[in-house]
């Protein structure tokens, strides 16, 4: 089968369908709960952060991480595609062209603050993997940038819907950002081996496997503490940090040579996100019904 014939399948795999909800849901929930309606902007924004955004984020990563992905045994399935060089250029063009109409519309309907948030979001998508920037190779900057990938859709949804930034809302967004930082850091531990072979830097390759696991646990705990300062029933969500902390601390004694064992924790993290998402949805429905 030719590369052209299989391109749609490869693009689909590269966009990480299992993770689509992680960016679309934050935008949709933030926008709809703030605006109190489902309109064209809600639909366009949700669709953008569902597929085009993920194709751009992960497609760019797969193109420029090709050499390290070849060395990584967990790549080639649900955790990431290994894109043949013959489709690298097509992947980059597909990411740009698929995003373009959505981005044009979103810039057209948003104010200056929301436009700034969207610009930061798009920049983070490119900067994480693209040559010359490669934020993913700068310890701690990698975790901050990755968290921006998932938090910025929510912040964009809030700003484009003209949310009032109360201390409780700031605490909520900060908690979400901490969750993203911790998640990226923990995910980097499993790739210490192939990343070092490919000469790639990350928070995990710089400070080591065990310190990174403890760092992730501490930042998850900080996320839980921040949720205590949100509006009811938000403080109940602080309990949702506990499973994440328990999951990473299973590997508190991991070393750089045994770092790949944390892949089991990463699989737990993936399904844990769906359980947490369901429970967060229940809390949001409760909040919407009582306000």
């Amino acid at each position: 089968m030719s590369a052209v014939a299989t391109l749609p399948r490869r693009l689909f795999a590269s966009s990480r369908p299992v993770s689509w909800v992680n960016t679309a849901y934050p935008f949709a929930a933030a926008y709809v709960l703030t605006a109190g309606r489902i309109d064209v902007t809600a639909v366009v924004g949700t669709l953008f952060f569902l597929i085009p955004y993920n194709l751009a984020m992960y497609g760019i990563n797969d193109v420029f991480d090709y050499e390290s992905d070849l060395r990584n045994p967990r790549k080639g399935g649900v955790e990431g595609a290994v894109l043949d060089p013959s489709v690298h250029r097509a992947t980059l063009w597909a990411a740009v062209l698929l995003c373009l109409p959505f981005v044009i519309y979103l810039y057209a309907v948003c104010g200056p603050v929301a436009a700034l948030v969207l610009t930061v979001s798009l920049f983070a998508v490119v900067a994480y993997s693209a040559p010359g920037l490669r934020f993913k190779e700068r310890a701690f900057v990698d975790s901050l940038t990755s968290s921006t990938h998932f938090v910025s859709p929510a912040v964009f949804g809030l700003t484009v819907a003209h949310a009032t930034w109360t201390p409780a809302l700031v605490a909520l967004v900060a908690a979400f950002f901490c969750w993203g930082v911790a998640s990226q850091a923990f995910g980097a531990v499993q790739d210490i081996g192939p990343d070092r072979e490919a000469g790639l830097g990350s928070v995990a390759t710089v400070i080591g496997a065990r310190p990174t696991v403890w760092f992730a646990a501490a930042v998850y705990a900080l996320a839980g503490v921040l949720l205590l300062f949100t509006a009811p029933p938000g403080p109940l969500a602080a309990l949702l940090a506990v499973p994440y902390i328990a999951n990473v601390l299973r590997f508190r004694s991991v070393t750089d040579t045994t770092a790949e064992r944390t892949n089991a924790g990463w699989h737990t993290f993936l399904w844990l996100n769906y359980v947490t998402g369901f429970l967060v949805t229940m809390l949001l429905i409760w909040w919407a019904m009582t306000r």
Side-chain angles (χ1 to χ4, degrees), residues 12-231:
F12 178 78
S14 184
S15 69
R16 313 287 201 279
V18 71
S19 297
W20 286 357
V21 68
N22 293 338
T23 49
Y25 180 85
F27 168 82
Y31 182 88
V32 173
L33 289 174
T34 301
R37 64 182 182 275
I38 298 176
D39 54 18
V40 175
T41 299
V43 174
V44 171
T46 301
L47 289 175
F48 169 66
F49 287 111
L50 185 72
I51 303 176
Y53 183 83
N54 281 288
L55 176 59
M57 178 165 60
Y58 293 118
I60 293 172
N61 181 263
D62 286 343
V63 167
F64 295 112
D65 278 9
Y66 176 70
E67 292 299 327
S68 62
D69 287 348
L70 284 175
R71 297 175 171 86
N72 195 330
R74 73 185 185 89
K75 297 295 184 177
V78 68
E79 296 183 65
V82 178
L83 287 180
D84 188 270
S86 64
V87 298
H88 283 184
R89 180 173 295 183
T91 299
L92 296 177
W93 273 110
V96 171
L97 295 177
L98 190 59
C99 286
L100 192 59
F102 292 91
V103 170
I104 290 173
Y105 173 85
L106 292 173
Y107 272 123
V109 300
C110 70
V113 176
L116 176 62
V117 173
L118 183 58
T119 300
V120 170
S121 183
L122 296 174
F123 174 74
V125 164
V126 175
Y128 188 73
S129 304
L133 294 169
R134 296 291 287 177
F135 284 6
K136 67 171 294 173
E137 294 191 46
R138 305 181 187 186
F140 297 103
V141 175
D142 55 349
S143 297
L144 296 172
T145 307
S146 178
S147 185
T148 301
H149 293 160
F150 301 99
V151 178
S152 60
V155 176
F156 179 69
L158 291 167
T159 52
V160 78
H162 308 292
T164 300
W165 286 89
T166 64
L169 181 57
V170 172
L172 178 63
V173 172
F176 187 18
F177 192 81
C178 287
W179 172 88
V181 169
S183 299
Q184 192 279 341
F186 178 63
V189 175
Q190 63 192 320
D191 291 332
I192 284 179
D195 280 353
R196 282 184 174 157
E197 284 183 31
L200 302 182
S202 72
V203 61
T205 61
V206 169
I207 69 173
R210 190 175 303 173
T212 305
V213 166
W214 282 100
F215 170 73
V219 181
Y220 276 135
L222 178 58
V225 171
L226 286 168
L227 286 169
L228 296 175
F229 297 93
T230 60

